[in-house]
Amino acid sequence: MDCKERLERYLRDNSVPFELQHHPLAYTAQAVAESEHVPGRLVAKVVMVLADGRLTMLALPAPARVDLARAAAAMGAKEVRLAHEEEFRAAFGDCQIGAMPPFGNLYGVPTFVERSLAEDESIIFQAGTHTDTIRVAYKDYDRVVKPVVAEFAHGTRAGTY
C-alpha cells in the first residue's frame, strides 16, 4: 500500500470527510498552492527536523519558514536542526520524498503544527505524491493526528512574508 492509499484508508476508517485533488507535478508546497489556485497559507508543508536527535515533523503554511530557535522552545529541546533527506527517507518509505503528509502519527513521528494553520477552517496537504493533495477540515485533522499546536515559524499570514 502506498502513502496515498494508506492515508485515504486512515481517513475513511476515522470518518474524516476529505477531498482528493490531482494537479500537475509540483515539488514545493507553494507550487501546489498555485496549481490548485488557493492561497499558500492554506497549504501545509512538512519540514522534518531532529530535535535533540529525535526525528520530528513540523507542518506550517507553504510560504512560511521554520524558526529553529522558536521550534526548539516549542518542543522543549536543547537543539533543533533541519533533518537531511537520508535521515528521514526510510521512515516514509511509502511516500515520494518531499511529499509526506503531515500525519507523523502514521509513522511514529511526533507532529507539531504552526498555530496559524490551526486557525483556518481547512487544511490542504500533499498525499504522499507530487501530484495529489487532500483537503480536510482542520478540526478533523486535529482529532485524528493530535498534533502539538505551537508557534515556530515566520511569515505565516498574508502580508507578513
Side-chain angles (χ1 to χ4, degrees):
M1 181 179 336
D2 68 18
C3 180
K4 184 174 88 167
E5 293 166 336
R6 178 183 193 179
L7 190 54
E8 287 180 87
R9 177 178 288 169
Y10 182 73
L11 294 172
R12 284 187 189 103
D13 288 351
N14 285 281
S15 303
V16 175
F18 65 92
E19 291 176 34
L20 180 66
Q21 295 279 75
H22 190 74
H23 57 80
L25 188 66
Y27 289 105
T28 67
Q30 194 62 42
V32 168
E34 290 169 14
S35 73
E36 295 201 7
H37 309 291
V38 297
R41 67 179 175 78
L42 297 180
V43 177
K45 70 179 172 185
V46 168
V47 175
M48 299 305 300
V49 297
L50 287 176
D52 292 338
R54 183 174 186 200
L55 192 61
T56 303
M57 177 179 280
L58 304 179
L60 60 158
R65 291 199 165 119
V66 173
D67 179 321
L68 293 174
R70 290 176 79 190
M75 292 184 238
K78 291 180 180 154
E79 179 186 345
V80 173
R81 69 168 176 82
L82 297 177
H84 299 287
E85 186 177 306
E86 60 272 5
E87 294 173 310
F88 63 84
R89 177 185 292 144
F92 302 96
D94 62 350
C95 300
Q96 291 178 358
I97 201 68
M100 300 88 67
F103 282 70
N105 59 313
L106 296 180
Y107 298 90
V109 176
T111 305
F112 286 74
V113 170
E114 170 57 42
R115 183 170 310 284
S116 62
L117 277 179
E119 294 170 355
D120 286 311
E121 196 171 304
S122 64
I123 182 173
I124 300 167
F125 48 87
Q126 289 179 295
T129 77
H130 292 289
T131 57
D132 297 292
T133 59
I134 290 179
R135 178 192 294 250
V136 298
Y138 183 83
K139 65 182 170 95
D140 289 328
Y141 169 79
D142 186 66
R143 175 176 59 84
V144 298
V145 176
K146 297 178 178 48
V148 176
V149 177
E151 294 178 9
F152 54 81
H154 290 297
T156 59
R157 280 289 177 214
T160 63
Y161 37 87

